Amino acid sequence: MSSHRLTILIVDDTPTNAKQLEAVAHKLGHATILAGNGEEAVAKFQSGKPDLVIMDIMMPVMDGITAVQHIRALPSEKWTPIIFFSALDQMQDIVRGLEVGGDDYIVKPASLQILRAKINSYARVLSLQQEAQTNAAELRNWRLDAEEQSRLGAHVMARLTDAAGLRDPMIRHFNMPADTFSGDLLCAARAPGEVLNVLLADATGHGLAAALTAMPLTQAFYSMTTKGFPLPSIAEELNRKLKAILPSDRFVAATLASIDVRNHTVEVWNGGNPNALFINAHGEVSMQWASAHPPLGILPDKLFSGVTEMVVFHEAGDLVLCSDGLTEAEDPDGAWLGIQGVRDCLASSNDSDQRFTSLLGGVEAHLAGHAGRDDISAMLVSIPIDRRFLPRFDTLTHAHHGHISEWRMDLSFGAQELRYIDVVPAVLGFVTQVHALKPHQGSLFLIFSELFNNALDHGLLGLGSATKNWIGGFEQYLQQRSERLNGLRQGRIDISFLLHQEETRALLDISMTDTGLGFDFEQIQNNTATLRAENQMAFGRGIALVKKLCEQVVYSGSGNKVWARYLVSDQIIEDDDNGPARTDPAGNTGSELF
Amino acid sequence: MLIANDVNGDRATLKLGGRFDFHSHRDFRSAYEQHLVKAGVREIIIDFGDVDYLDSSALGMLLLLREKCDAAGRSVALSGLKGTVKQVLDIANFGKLFRIQA
């Protein structure tokens, strides 16, 4: 019946009985150990580790009941069934035998058939039990293995997604995973020129698979942000990346936001996340951005839309982004926190810190100690109203080690290319490869983007900057800009960079010429002086910023040509060994803008 | 999740009920698979009238259905949207990916 080969300990003081049992066992294919009394049985049980014990009761030296009590007291890793085989046939004998740890009781004399059947039956049970034990051991190993992998994975994931940008003083955030890994991903980084970009992404499901799904977003987000790419281009690239690697039933809901404190704008792309909220000083939701797109990773490139919604803010407040894990957080009765619950938490305080604490406390209270079903994350960005006319950062010049050889680059963009190329980050990405210019990335971004945007917006697109100055004007301006850019069929912008050395000074000259009508630069320059104090005039503000950062700015032609000189270093130290330029502290300008 | 399957002419309707979430994967797939191969079916309607809850893996299953219908030359539409279900589909902007029937 069973192919499971057992070792059976047979305990009987009558050799004939023992031999008879042994013969039965052998015939069934099992091995045997013989013992002539209880004491011997305990010793052989320990040394021989039998699978099954057949125990007589009345024996010299130590009886079977005492022997079983000893055996059951031994530490043991497996269950060994014991069958009493005794001539004692009273009810109390049988009960006592089972009470001290016997599993079965056969009264002597018994037929060989009964004995065979019992042995076979226990062989089956033992075989099942061993299988269960093997499975349990395997399961335990799997679990230990999985825990170890989880631990390692969580460590690596934490490093990969560790966003130094999230430690920005403007940002508060939490991410409560439903599992070891969170499928919610939060990122923040500074773009060159005072702009803060943030991302809150929520991958389908939760746990490791979801975390892996969201991973590819981090690198693209950081590298494109630090290079100054606009939000729609970042959204398109994130979508392209995910579409290429995810199976068709996986996607990532995401909110991307770009906060420009200098220009008082918040730009949002929301695909599949709950509304992004702007909470003003009174705790009211004064603006919100509903999901306007399907999540990332679903649509092919040509159907995807990176169109963002940009608004101008006129008051300080907190921008709040969250995943649906927050709005769908359930209390013990299964009721959702809801967007209203989130708004109530946020309305309870006027201060960013307390508001954040109130939101976190609110979710925890709602969950009432239970874990969320889904990953729960939120990010709160405190947005100040900045009345400064110019960014608060020093145009420190610093020593440059080594000779600067002349470097120049001339570029010319026609209408066709201007419609789709992100000229500013593309060109600056190249320019800042030059070692001497790298530490100046932040300033160069501000200068170049102002000059280029003037040339494009006011020169080629003929947009007047006056509209920017009244409430709602900026939105209208952006609308017009996008329409005119799409319709741009002629025109050209020429750009030229020249890095050169004059005695001990390193200089970068930037010139730009557009084929537009130009503008009355003398009048703008005069007006700038009067409007400066009120921080009202967007266009004049741009030129004034460039003037502040550059040594010289000269407009010529009809206002369609501009030349700017930027001081890279006034202290060139020509080292003998021509060694690499040392890292300069001013290279951090970008992170000290606020 | 409960699924009632009804074919009327060239239109197959899957009427769903209960929670449509990651546990529904196999049931949902086996409910629509026959309509992808059966001759005569041109349109598959997913009726959410009795669905209480829908999670993101359900959205994933809908995307998979949409892809398979495209490949098999069937059209797919969603109907009976209301309450939470409508909200979840609206937030994900599935109206831009699927035809929605009133």
Side-chain angles (χ1 to χ4, degrees):
Chain A
M1 181 87 198
S2 170
S3 59
H4 195 70
R5 187 170 187 270
L6 304 179
T7 299
I8 303 176
L9 173 60
I10 296 166
V11 192
D12 205 308
D13 58 332
T14 315
T16 354
N17 287 349
K19 286 287 168 203
Q20 198 180 17
L21 283 170
E22 188 173 44
V24 173
H26 285 173
K27 209 159 186 181
L28 292 171
H30 303 299
T32 51
I33 305 170
L34 298 184
N37 62 55
E39 197 177 83
E40 205 183 319
V42 176
K44 290 199 169 165
F45 181 89
Q46 286 175 279
S47 61
K49 297 189 170 42
D51 304 300
L52 175 67
V53 180
I54 299 176
M55 178 77 76
D56 188 13
I57 293 184
M58 288 180 300
M59 291 179 291
V61 187
M62 183 191 281
D63 66 77
I65 296 289
T66 315
V68 169
Q69 282 171 325
H70 281 299
I71 287 173
R72 288 301 187 219
L74 293 171
S76 158
E77 281 177 10
K78 60 169 190 174
W79 169 68
T80 311
I82 300 176
I83 307 172
F84 280 110
F85 188 45
S86 168
L88 299 174
D89 60 354
Q90 296 303 300
M91 173 79 87
Q92 65 266 32
D93 299 319
I94 298 175
V95 169
R96 186 151 170 265
L98 297 179
E99 274 175 358
V100 296
D103 299 282
D104 211 337
Y105 199 107
I106 304 173
V107 178
K108 281 182 193 171
S111 76
L112 292 181
Q113 269 157 309
I114 290 281
L115 278 171
R116 268 200 297 271
K118 284 281 181 194
I119 292 175
N120 279 336
S121 158
Y122 279 97
R124 279 198 302 275
V125 173
L126 283 165
S127 158
L128 279 175
Q129 202 223 0
Q130 196 183 41
E131 201 177 309
Q133 245 170 359
T134 311
N135 288 346
E138 206 171 303
L139 213 56
R140 193 169 51 243
N141 288 339
W142 268 89
R143 207 194 64 219
L144 290 175
D145 206 34
E147 275 171 6
E148 174 60 16
Q149 290 200 24
S150 268
R151 198 189 55 74
L152 180 65
H155 176 86
V156 173
M157 206 69 81
R159 291 296 168 92
L160 282 171
T161 55
D162 175 46
L166 286 174
R167 290 189 282 276
D168 194 295
M170 277 170 73
I171 294 176
R172 289 162 184 80
H173 64 96
F174 60 79
N175 190 349
M176 297 152 52
D179 206 329
T180 319
F181 299 96
S182 180
D184 286 3
L185 177 75
L186 284 71
C187 299
R190 290 278 175 175
E194 297 212 48
V195 172
L196 174 68
N197 282 0
V198 297
L199 164 68
L200 189 146
D202 174 7
T204 337
H206 52 82
L208 181 57
L212 276 174
T213 309
M215 279 306 299
L217 297 179
T218 47
Q219 213 207 337
F221 172 81
Y222 287 121
S223 80
M224 290 184 81
T225 292
T226 49
K227 285 181 187 137
F229 279 90
L231 217 52
S233 304
I234 298 178
E236 281 163 21
E237 178 59 23
L238 297 184
N239 181 65
R240 199 175 298 136
K241 263 214 147 74
L242 288 178
K243 178 73 185 157
I245 59 167
L246 294 187
S248 52
D249 60 345
R250 292 269 165 177
F251 53 84
V252 178
T255 315
L256 275 161
S258 188
I259 297 108
D260 185 340
V261 175
R262 190 164 62 90
N263 287 311
H264 296 185
T265 59
V266 175
E267 183 183 8
V268 173
W269 185 95
N270 181 354
N273 268 340
N275 291 8
L277 307 172
F278 188 95
I279 313 287
N280 68 14
H282 309 292
E284 300 153 356
V285 175
S286 60
M287 298 183 275
Q288 51 185 320
W289 293 261
S291 160
H293 307 275
L296 298 171
I298 296 174
L299 290 170
D301 213 15
K302 58 178 189 294
L303 296 179
F304 181 81
S305 165
V307 171
T308 54
E309 198 184 334
M310 190 191 282
V311 298
V312 178
F313 58 89
H314 304 280
E315 51 184 351
D318 293 314
L319 176 69
V320 180
L321 314 182
C322 68
S323 66
D324 62 6
L326 181 69
T327 49
E328 294 179 15
E330 290 183 359
D331 69 9
D333 297 327
W336 287 3
L337 178 60
I339 192 80
Q340 193 53 47
V342 171
R343 290 170 70 149
D344 291 345
C345 292
L346 294 167
S348 66
S349 172
N350 295 333
D351 161 273
S352 297
D353 250 329
Q354 287 174 21
R355 217 170 247 171
F356 176 75
T357 312
S358 149
L359 181 62
L360 182 56
V363 190
E364 283 172 344
H366 190 79
L367 288 170
H370 297 276
R373 265 182 198 279
D374 193 2
D375 306 315
I376 301 174
S377 65
M379 187 191 295
L380 187 143
V381 186
S382 315
I383 304 177
I385 275 287
D386 195 338
R387 300 267 172 219
R388 284 179 292 121
F389 183 53
L390 291 171
R392 195 182 298 140
F393 78 105
D394 304 318
T395 49
L396 274 180
T397 51
H398 44 277
H400 180 87
H401 290 252
H403 180 73
I404 287 190
S405 56
E406 191 176 288
W407 174 85
R408 69 179 298 145
M409 179 164 81
D410 294 294
L411 295 159
S412 180
F413 292 94
Q416 191 69 32
E417 281 63 44
L418 288 169
R419 287 211 302 271
Y420 69 91
I421 295 181
D422 292 323
V423 171
V424 175
V427 169
L428 275 176
F430 192 77
V431 168
T432 52
Q433 298 288 306
V434 177
H435 277 183
L437 299 179
K438 204 177 184 71
H440 301 272
Q441 194 174 2
S443 309
L444 291 179
F445 181 88
L446 286 170
I447 296 166
F448 184 65
S449 60
E450 285 298 342
L451 296 179
F452 179 80
N453 290 334
N454 275 350
L456 182 60
D457 292 13
H458 305 305
L460 293 194
L461 302 179
L463 292 160
S465 56
T467 43
K468 284 193 201 171
N469 295 329
W470 43 274
I471 288 178
F474 196 76
E475 288 84 348
Q476 190 186 328
Y477 178 89
L478 288 170
Q479 174 74 22
Q480 272 184 5
R481 184 184 190 277
S482 121
E483 282 166 11
R484 293 193 189 179
L485 187 60
N486 280 329
L488 188 67
R489 289 293 175 274
Q490 51 186 355
R492 183 162 283 283
I493 297 176
D494 294 326
I495 302 160
S496 153
F497 292 90
L498 173 63
L499 174 66
H500 57 110
Q501 188 173 343
E502 266 185 18
E503 294 173 352
T504 60
R505 287 154 42 92
L507 301 163
L508 179 71
D509 296 343
I510 305 173
S511 21
M512 203 166 310
T513 306
D514 65 73
T515 56
L517 293 174
F519 67 102
D520 188 348
F521 51 92
E522 280 162 11
Q523 193 212 327
I524 293 277
Q525 276 162 359
N526 295 336
N527 279 351
T528 308
T530 53
L531 288 171
R532 179 175 293 223
E534 291 156 43
N535 188 18
Q536 283 294 310
M537 208 183 60
F539 185 27
R541 197 162 60 186
I543 295 179
L545 173 65
V546 173
K547 288 196 161 177
K548 166 89 177 170
L549 294 171
C550 290
E551 257 195 3
Q552 266 180 289
V553 180
V554 181
Y555 280 90
S556 59
S558 58
N560 67 326
K561 286 176 196 277
V562 62
W563 176 88
R565 168 163 285 181
Y566 177 79
L567 177 63
V568 176
S569 168
D570 54 4
Q571 233 187 311
I572 295 180
I573 300 161
E574 305 235 7
D575 296 335
D576 292 339
D577 55 27
N578 229 1
R582 82 190 150 84
T583 319
D584 199 291
N588 296 328
T589 350
S591 57
E592 289 165 0
L593 289 174
F594 280 85
Chain B
M1 185 177 65
L2 304 166
I3 306 176
N5 223 321
D6 175 51
V7 181
N8 190 351
D10 60 359
R11 169 186 296 185
T13 304
L14 299 191
K15 192 167 174 54
L16 314 183
R19 280 181 79 91
F20 188 12
D21 60 15
F22 63 98
H23 297 294
S24 320
H25 198 89
R26 191 180 305 191
D27 291 346
F28 183 63
R29 201 183 48 196
S30 56
Y32 71 68
E33 251 169 4
Q34 45 176 318
H35 303 307
L36 297 175
V37 290
K38 202 186 301 174
V41 173
R42 302 169 65 96
E43 186 179 31
I44 300 178
I45 312 278
I46 309 295
D47 184 344
F48 287 87
D50 296 328
V51 175
D52 316 314
Y53 175 78
L54 174 85
D55 74 354
S56 63
S57 44
L59 298 182
M61 290 178 234
L62 292 175
L63 292 173
L64 208 58
L65 167 68
R66 174 172 163 268
E67 190 183 68
K68 289 185 173 175
C69 281
D70 279 350
R74 265 77 168 158
S75 75
V76 60
L78 312 182
S79 80
L81 308 183
K82 56 183 199 289
T84 321
V85 169
K86 179 168 168 23
Q87 224 177 338
V88 170
L89 289 165
D90 280 348
I91 288 176
N93 278 278
F94 268 39
K96 292 182 178 166
L97 308 171
F98 290 87
R99 200 158 53 77
I100 309 285
Q101 283 189 344

